[in-house]
Amino acid sequence: QVRLVESGGDSVQTGGSLRLSCAGSGYTASNYCMAWFRQAPGKEREGVALITRHVGPIYADSVKGRFTISQDNTKTSLYLQMNSLKTEDTAMYYCAAKFVGGNGVCTTFEFYNYWGQGTQVTVSS
C-alpha cells in the first residue's frame, strides 16, 4: 500500500525559505512518478513540481527559479526546497505519486492518485 508522509511546513515571512520532505513507502519507486502539489484556500489544487525520468524537473511557472524538487538515491523520499517565498505561496502542500510502470514517463501533473495528508506552508508579509 502506497503511503506518503509530508513534513517541513511552517509559517515564514516573505523572502524566507523552507524545505519540505515526503517519505514514501509501500511501493517500488522505479514504477512511480512523484510530484508536489499545493492547494490554497478557495482555489483548486495545482501542480508545483515533478520529477521526470529523462529530462530535468518540471515546474509551475509561478515557482520557477525559486523552488527545487529532488529525490534521494532510493527515490522514495521527495523534497521541495522553497526559496524567496511569497505570500501567494501560502497553501497546503501535498506529495503525490502515480503508477506508470518501469517504462512510463513522468511529464504531466495529470492522473496522480496517491496523496499524502499535506503540510501547511504559510507566508506572511
Side-chain angles (χ1 to χ4, degrees):
Q1 182 178 356
V2 177
R3 185 166 184 253
L4 304 170
V5 180
E6 303 95 334
S7 62
D10 205 345
S11 296
V12 297
Q13 292 190 324
T14 53
S17 298
L18 284 174
R19 180 177 169 86
L20 305 184
S21 299
C22 171
S25 62
Y27 61 99
T28 301
S30 60
N31 289 332
Y32 285 76
C33 297
M34 303 291 293
W36 285 100
F37 289 74
R38 68 185 181 186
Q39 187 167 20
K43 295 187 177 181
E44 292 191 356
R45 186 166 55 197
E46 63 173 348
V48 174
L50 63 84
I51 297 282
T52 68
R53 293 185 168 184
H54 307 294
V55 296
I58 292 176
Y59 296 95
D61 288 343
S62 59
V63 306
K64 282 181 182 177
R66 301 187 298 120
F67 290 11
T68 303
I69 189 172
S70 62
Q71 282 180 309
D72 69 346
N73 289 337
T74 68
K75 301 188 186 303
T76 56
S77 289
L78 189 69
Y79 306 98
L80 187 67
Q81 178 66 44
M82 306 187 296
N83 299 327
S84 302
L85 283 162
K86 304 176 180 180
T87 54
E88 51 264 44
D89 294 319
T90 294
M92 185 71 79
Y93 283 72
Y94 297 93
C95 175
K98 65 177 177 181
F99 177 82
V100 294
N103 294 318
V105 296
C106 306
T107 55
T108 77
F109 288 108
E110 294 179 309
F111 309 124
Y112 281 79
N113 58 339
Y114 295 100
W115 301 88
Q117 83 289 350
T119 186
Q120 178 68 38
V121 172
T122 302
V123 185
S124 59
S125 58

